[in-house]
């Protein structure tokens, strides 16, 4: 159902099962798949592709031009997967030519009120952005990440799978997977043990991650000595290998 006061472009491709509320605006070249619900006063701008079963609450702004002074009107896109919720006043910008030319959001994410996703960000699946959590441009967020309210993330940061940030955290470096960070500027406090247990992680895996966290994040030993000690531990878990690979591939350096 499309409310009679909604402004929907003739060049938009909208599934017949989509609901669009009063005074919402759907721009040219917008694609919206089945069973997506758009409340009143939502704006969805051009070159936005939206999957199935998404829910956009009132006053959210989706696919607007990037807040980047280098942007000069070039064509860029926003891609959104399935089963996401965008609460009131959530803002999502599309990509830039100077970046990857697109902003990408996966599936099963919750973006609470006033959260912001800037240009060229990539967000995986099953994340929670609490109220006013905000990403600057070019940020990459792994799966099952939880950002506490008013968390701010500097441009070009990477946040690993299952990471967790506390209220008001300011992140200016990469955040290792499975890690709890908090503070301004952020510090890494520990492995997010409680969260991993809730997700069904094996106790042996959690214990191994705690050892690696202490070794790579909190140890003051040289990198050479840390790597030697890591080899001695012989922890053959994919999660541990992912943690170590994340550190070794970090370009900004990791939060410690």
């Amino acid at each position: 159902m499309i409310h009679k006061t909604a402004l929907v472009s003739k060049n938009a491709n909208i599934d017949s099962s989509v609901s669009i509320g009063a005074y919402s605006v759907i721009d040219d070249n917008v694609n919206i798949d089945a069973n997506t619900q758009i409340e009143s006063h939502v704006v969805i701008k051009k070159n936005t592709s939206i999957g199935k079963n998404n829910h956009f609450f009132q006053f959210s702004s989706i696919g607007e031009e990037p807040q980047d002074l280098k942007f000069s009107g070039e064509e860029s896109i926003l891609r959104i997967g399935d089963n996401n919720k965008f609460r009131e006043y959530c803002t999502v910008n599309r990509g830039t030519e100077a970046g990857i030319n697109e902003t990408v959001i996966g599936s099963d994410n919750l973006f609470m009120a006033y959260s912001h996703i800037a240009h060229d960000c990539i967000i995986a699946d099953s994340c929670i952005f609490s109220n006013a959590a905000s990403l600057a441009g070019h940020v990459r967020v792994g799966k099952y990440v939880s950002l506490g309210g008013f968390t701010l993330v500097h441009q070009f940061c990477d946040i690993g799978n299952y990471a967790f940030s506390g209220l008001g955290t300011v992140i200016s470096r990469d955040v290792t997977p499975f890690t709890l960070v908090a503070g301004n500027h952020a510090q890494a406090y520990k492995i997010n043990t409680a969260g991993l247990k809730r997700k069904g992680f094996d106790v042996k895996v959690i214990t191994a991650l705690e050892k690696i966290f202490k070794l790579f994040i909190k140890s003051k030993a040289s990198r050479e000595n840390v790597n030697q000690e890591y080899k001695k531990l012989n922890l053959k878990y994919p999660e541990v290998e992912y943690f170590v690979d994340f550190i070794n591939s970090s370009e900004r350096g990791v939060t410690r």
Side-chain angles (χ1 to χ4, degrees), residues 17 33 59 71 92 126 129 147 160 182-183 204 225:
S17 62
D33 212 336
F59 302 105
F71 182 76
V92 185
S126 303
F129 284 47
L147 298 183
K204 292 180 180 179
N225 289 339

Side-chain angles (χ1 to χ4, degrees), residues 82-117:
D82 303 328
N83 305 309
N84 298 289
K85 287 186 179 180
F86 298 84
R87 294 304 305 250
E88 299 84 347
Y89 296 98
C90 181
T91 54
V92 185
N93 297 156
R94 60 185 187 269
T96 65
E97 189 174 53
I100 58 174
N101 217 46
E102 63 178 358
T103 301
V104 181
I105 294 174
S107 298
D108 302 300
N109 298 291
L110 170 59
F111 301 96
M112 295 187 190
Y114 293 95
S115 56
H116 173 67
I117 313 301

Side-chain angles (χ1 to χ4, degrees), residues 126-201:
S126 303
C127 297
I128 298 175
F129 284 47
S130 296
N131 295 66
S134 298
L135 306 184
H138 313 278
V139 172
R140 292 182 291 184
V141 179
K143 64 182 181 180
Y144 292 102
V145 169
S146 293
L147 298 183
F150 298 92
T151 292
L152 304 177
V153 184
H154 193 280
Q155 60 261 35
F156 294 101
C157 284
D158 289 353
I159 301 178
N161 297 346
Y162 294 93
F164 180 97
S165 74
L167 175 69
T169 300
V170 177
I171 296 170
S172 58
R173 294 189 175 188
D174 295 344
V175 176
T176 45
F178 315 108
T179 302
L180 188 154
V181 299
N184 180 7
H185 288 300
Q187 295 183 41
Y189 282 89
K190 62 178 183 176
I191 291 297
N192 182 23
T193 304
L196 297 184
K197 287 180 178 178
R198 284 196 296 269
K199 294 298 183 184
F201 277 69

Side-chain angles (χ1 to χ4, degrees), residues 13-251:
N13 181 21
I14 300 172
D15 188 87
S16 60
S17 62
V18 171
S19 172
I20 302 177
Y23 301 103
S24 286
V25 179
I26 311 298
D27 210 346
D28 293 339
N29 197 28
V30 170
N31 296 285
I32 306 176
D33 212 336
N35 299 314
T36 288
Q37 184 175 355
I38 300 168
E39 303 291 353
S40 67
H41 299 89
V42 174
V43 177
I44 301 179
K45 301 293 283 189
K46 68 176 184 177
N47 301 337
T48 296
S49 178
I50 298 169
K52 299 176 181 178
N53 303 311
N54 292 285
H55 193 172
F56 298 89
F57 285 75
Q58 53 270 25
F59 302 105
S60 52
S61 174
I62 309 299
E64 186 54 271
E65 289 186 357
Q67 299 177 105
D68 184 343
L69 293 176
K70 298 186 296 298
F71 182 76
S72 58
E74 64 267 19
E75 291 295 308
S76 61
I77 65 176
L78 166 64
R79 291 194 287 119
I80 297 173
D82 303 328
N83 305 309
N84 298 289
K85 287 186 179 180
F86 298 84
R87 294 304 305 250
E88 299 84 347
Y89 296 98
C90 181
T91 54
V92 185
N93 297 156
R94 60 185 187 269
T96 65
E97 189 174 53
I100 58 174
N101 217 46
E102 63 178 358
T103 301
V104 181
I105 294 174
S107 298
D108 302 300
N109 298 291
L110 170 59
F111 301 96
M112 295 187 190
Y114 293 95
S115 56
H116 173 67
I117 313 301
H119 58 89
D120 302 293
C121 289
I122 300 176
I123 300 170
D125 302 329
S126 303
C127 297
I128 298 175
F129 284 47
S130 296
N131 295 66
S134 298
L135 306 184
H138 313 278
V139 172
R140 292 182 291 184
V141 179
K143 64 182 181 180
Y144 292 102
V145 169
S146 293
L147 298 183
F150 298 92
T151 292
L152 304 177
V153 184
H154 193 280
Q155 60 261 35
F156 294 101
C157 284
D158 289 353
I159 301 178
N161 297 346
Y162 294 93
F164 180 97
S165 74
L167 175 69
T169 300
V170 177
I171 296 170
S172 58
R173 294 189 175 188
D174 295 344
V175 176
T176 45
F178 315 108
T179 302
L180 188 154
V181 299
N184 180 7
H185 288 300
Q187 295 183 41
Y189 282 89
K190 62 178 183 176
I191 291 297
N192 182 23
T193 304
L196 297 184
K197 287 180 178 178
R198 284 196 296 269
K199 294 298 183 184
F201 277 69
D202 189 284
V203 173
K204 292 180 180 179
V205 172
I206 295 174
T207 301
L209 287 170
E210 290 173 334
K211 291 179 180 178
I212 292 301
F213 175 84
K214 291 177 181 178
L215 179 61
F216 278 88
I217 302 300
K218 293 304 181 182
S219 173
K220 295 182 180 180
S222 68
R223 175 57 65 89
E224 182 180 357
N225 289 339
V226 166
N227 285 328
Q228 288 176 355
E229 186 63 27
Y230 170 58
K231 291 178 181 178
K232 290 178 183 178
L233 290 173
N234 195 31
L235 298 171
K236 299 298 184 181
Y237 297 104
E239 295 85 355
V240 169
E241 293 175 358
Y242 168 50
F243 188 98
V244 175
D245 288 344
F246 185 96
I247 293 173
N248 290 333
S249 63
S250 173
E251 296 181 359

